[in-house]
Amino acid sequence: MSDTGTSGDGGTSEGSFDDLGLRPELLTALSALGYEEPTPIQREAIPPLVAGRDLLGQAATGTGKTAAFALPVLQRLDADRRTSAPSALVLVPTRELAVQVSEALHRYGRELAARVLPVYGGAPIVRQLRSLESGVDVVVATPGRALDLVGRGALKLGEVATVVLDEADEMLDMGFAEDLEAILEETPEKRQTVLFSATMPRRLDSLARRHLNDPVRISLGRERTEPGEAPRVRQTAYVVPRAAKPAALGRILDVEAPTAAIVFCRTREEVDTLTETLNGRGYRAEALHGGMSQEQRDRVMGRLRAGTADLLVATDVAARGLDIDQLTHVVNYDVPSAPEAYVHRIGRVGRAGREGVAITLAEPREHRQLKTIERVAGAPITVEKVPTVADLRARRLELTRAALRETLLEEDLDRFRVVVETLTDEFDVFEVALAAVKLAHEAGGATDDDEEIPQVGFRPDRPDRPDRTDRAGRPTNRPADGRGAGRGGRSSGGPVARLFVGAGRDAGIRPGDLVGAITGETELGGRDIGSIEIHQRFALVEVPESAADDVVRALRATMIKGRKATVRRDRP
Ligand code: AMP
């Protein structure tokens, strides 16, 4: 093992936050949050945004895109300006995202005392009216509620200097196109407009052409690594809600039983918290991050070398240049912010013909980011279920069996013979063996008080719609999921497979039934599904080639409109 070349300052190296032209209050906040370096999207987007340029960015959740637009928005706030009308408006598709983005703005803008208000459908409007009246700097809103508040004269957009459209493809998919147009109409023409989207369907291009002025274009995840660059490593992802991550990680480590593993986290805080949690759960984990002194880092490496620790919890910056011989597993505690970071991380295992394992914990909304990584890394990432308590117990028994077998093969057991012999006067030899196995098993630390971890899948691409109201606060009657509208723009744009489903109009099948079955039973979202043709006795549906076999399997195993149907690839 060598730790030469570990760059440890984490704050002043080339490409750090210091180089992006951000004001000191923001740098202080970022450092307090433990962000060691900007993600690729932040590195590319922040300087032009700070300079006032419009921007069209293709980036999914998990890339750090929120900070990429939030920091420049905060940077451009005029500290002395305390009028009541907002100077920035961020539009997002869902209420969850509204809350998430405004929390991020709060965190980054703490030193600037930025006033940030999330407004979204389904929450009492009176409170939002009152907050708007008392004055805000940044409003984060779902389009329906924003328009409602504009209609009531409560949200005044005449002083908005920056508009951000976040997850713009989702907003269009959810039928917000007209609302977006109407809102942009209310803002000054000489504003900065920023559009982030995970995909760039044609409809979005035309929106961008009309509302963005000579934008900087940024696209992540297009780069290709050279064939063979990604090492041969077993790559697995588990879908885990954030709150269940520590327990899930513990479970996976128990089942995988790595010789030595490195667990990557995004921030110093996360490294410290996770190390503490893992140690509390009985693992021998050591933290390594840029906030530690060289001496502390040397001590950590010493403990790893001596084998008194077997898990290293680290940030990318701190782990740079580390080469750990006995490493068998790399764990991404979060989906890395860029595919290149993933490829780089997993390159630490699977060297010199040894088997390596890369494990990624993805949150239900990080599906797309994982798909991009899979494409760039050029190797499939298998999504598996978090091992259940039953899986874990089976695995522990397997480990006990293996340990016993080794003892039987290698050790001289004669001195224990007298114990077995005296017991066999009273018990069957098989029973004696069972008791000995129980003792060995329990001595290995196995307990039966494990918690069950919730099993979840990736969230469909189309998130739940927020409650929609018209300008008078009445519920609108748009289709609940936009599926009734033309289904023109599939999201991924890759190769497509056509599937034959042996049930059609005669069986009462409608496109929505197929979309429902596919999104309900597979990882695909509504936008991944291409054209659907319903014929008298059969239907044809287009899905991404990469998911076709999964869809066939899943549809065969499920009922469509209450019946089993033949499902296969359509013959060309
Ligand atoms: P987003 O893609 O905006 O949803 O961000 C994904 C996650 O990355 C959030 O939890 C952020 O707090 C975190 N994050 C964003 N930028 C950085 C950074 N430069 N360093 C570490 N974590 C970050």
Side-chain angles (χ1 to χ4, degrees), residues 314-544:
T315 56
D316 281 298
V317 170
R320 217 162 266 162
L322 278 190
D323 193 2
I324 305 170
D325 277 346
Q326 64 269 50
L327 203 65
T328 52
H329 289 63
V330 166
V331 180
N332 299 302
Y333 194 60
D334 300 280
V335 176
S337 60
E340 294 68 31
Y342 178 87
V343 173
H344 198 95
R345 286 178 182 182
I346 72 168
R348 290 199 170 77
V349 288
R351 289 179 174 175
R354 272 173 302 180
E355 197 211 352
V357 182
I359 288 164
T360 303
L361 303 190
E363 288 173 43
R365 47 182 290 124
E366 292 177 327
H367 183 203
R368 283 220 190 106
Q369 185 63 2
L370 201 67
K371 283 277 157 214
T372 310
I373 286 174
E374 198 173 31
R375 206 173 57 237
V376 174
I381 301 175
T382 318
V383 178
E384 283 183 13
K385 289 205 155 44
V386 176
T388 60
V389 171
D391 294 334
L392 177 63
R393 290 186 185 154
R395 171 72 176 154
R396 282 182 182 152
L397 286 174
E398 170 59 30
L399 290 174
T400 302
R401 196 192 72 86
L404 286 169
R405 188 165 184 281
E406 219 163 281
T407 309
L408 282 163
L409 287 174
E410 286 180 5
E411 291 193 24
D412 174 11
L413 300 171
D414 250 12
R415 63 200 173 102
F416 299 109
R417 186 174 292 276
V418 59
V419 178
V420 179
E421 276 173 358
T422 48
L423 283 169
T424 46
D425 290 346
E426 202 181 336
F427 302 96
D428 179 60
V429 72
F430 194 77
E431 284 174 312
V432 175
L434 287 179
V437 171
K438 177 174 185 274
L439 284 180
H441 189 65
E442 288 174 357
T447 55
D448 276 351
D449 56 358
D450 303 296
E451 48 193 313
E452 207 56 89
I453 296 166
Q455 298 283 345
V456 296
F458 280 118
R459 214 171 60 175
D461 275 353
R462 191 184 308 279
D464 288 338
R465 286 173 61 81
D467 292 350
R468 304 290 313 281
T469 52
D470 64 16
R471 288 170 199 225
R474 290 183 299 264
T476 58
N477 57 356
R478 287 188 201 148
D481 53 11
R483 281 172 196 157
R487 330 189 9 89
R490 225 173 38 81
S491 62
S492 67
V496 167
R498 201 149 78 140
L499 306 184
F500 170 95
V501 180
R505 255 195 306 279
D506 280 353
I509 300 286
R510 285 167 305 128
D513 300 320
L514 293 177
V515 175
I518 294 171
T519 56
E521 300 297 327
T522 71
E523 295 166 35
L524 294 183
R527 288 176 335 109
D528 294 313
I529 302 170
S531 79
I532 296 177
E533 290 172 37
I534 308 284
H535 296 261
Q536 207 66 30
R537 289 162 190 266
F538 65 93
L540 298 171
V541 55
E542 287 180 342
V543 295

Side-chain angles (χ1 to χ4, degrees), residues 17 30 34-39 41-42 60-69 97 100 104 107-108 242 265-267 270 334 337 365-366:
F17 276 111
L30 291 172
Y35 289 13
E36 298 200 321
E37 59 173 3
T39 66
I41 193 94
Q42 291 162 3
T61 303
T63 54
K65 70 178 161 64
T66 313
F69 66 74
L97 197 57
Q100 211 173 298
R107 280 199 302 272
Y108 305 143
R242 187 142 203 100
C265 294
R266 284 187 174 127
T267 66
E270 211 167 54
D334 300 280
S337 60
R365 47 182 290 124
E366 292 177 327

Side-chain angles (χ1 to χ4, degrees), residues 103-344:
E103 281 173 0
L105 279 155
H106 263 297
R107 280 199 302 272
Y108 305 143
R110 186 165 297 146
E111 299 268 316
L112 297 165
R115 299 168 301 169
V116 183
L117 179 70
V119 297
Y120 43 83
I125 200 162
V126 181
R127 212 174 326 137
Q128 296 176 358
L129 290 171
R130 223 176 295 136
S131 304
L132 282 169
E133 210 171 307
S134 65
V136 287
D137 300 309
V138 187
V139 171
V140 185
T142 51
R145 180 53 66 96
L147 206 51
D148 186 353
L149 291 165
V150 169
R152 290 165 187 255
L155 178 57
K156 296 190 176 66
L157 300 180
E159 292 180 40
V160 164
T162 305
V163 175
V164 180
L165 307 176
D166 188 20
E167 302 204 353
D169 51 354
E170 296 285 2
M171 290 199 280
L172 289 193
D173 263 14
M174 293 169 77
F176 283 133
E178 285 170 32
D179 291 1
L180 291 181
E181 297 282 347
I183 294 166
L184 288 169
E185 196 68 14
E186 297 288 328
T187 61
E189 209 166 307
K190 270 181 75 68
R191 55 156 204 270
Q192 178 183 41
T193 312
V194 183
L195 189 155
F196 273 108
S197 186
T199 63
M200 285 289 165
R202 210 167 298 145
R203 288 179 306 148
L204 201 59
D205 247 0
S206 77
L207 179 96
R209 255 199 312 278
R210 268 175 292 123
H211 296 290
L212 271 61
N213 177 19
D214 184 24
V216 175
R217 288 169 187 265
I218 293 177
S219 169
L220 274 194
R222 288 273 172 81
E223 303 88 315
R224 289 235 147 252
T225 46
E226 292 303 313
E229 192 173 310
R232 304 226 160 272
V233 173
R234 170 159 64 85
Q235 300 177 65
T236 309
Y238 297 91
V239 189
V240 187
R242 187 142 203 100
K245 274 190 173 180
L249 176 62
R251 178 69 46 82
I252 293 161
L253 289 172
D254 287 347
V255 170
E256 289 279 342
T259 309
I262 182 162
V263 182
F264 282 101
C265 294
R266 284 187 174 127
T267 66
R268 296 171 188 182
E269 272 59 34
E270 211 167 54
V271 165
D272 284 336
T273 315
L274 184 61
T275 309
E276 215 166 281
T277 310
L278 287 171
N279 283 320
R281 286 169 179 255
Y283 301 93
R284 300 185 308 167
E286 291 285 344
L288 194 75
H289 60 61
M292 294 163 60
S293 69
Q294 186 59 47
E295 200 191 336
Q296 286 172 311
R297 282 206 309 271
D298 288 346
R299 227 174 298 137
V300 166
M301 295 312 297
R303 280 196 284 269
L304 272 177
R305 251 180 245 126
T308 51
D310 33 34
L311 286 177
L312 187 63
V313 186
T315 56
D316 281 298
V317 170
R320 217 162 266 162
L322 278 190
D323 193 2
I324 305 170
D325 277 346
Q326 64 269 50
L327 203 65
T328 52
H329 289 63
V330 166
V331 180
N332 299 302
Y333 194 60
D334 300 280
V335 176
S337 60
E340 294 68 31
Y342 178 87
V343 173
H344 198 95

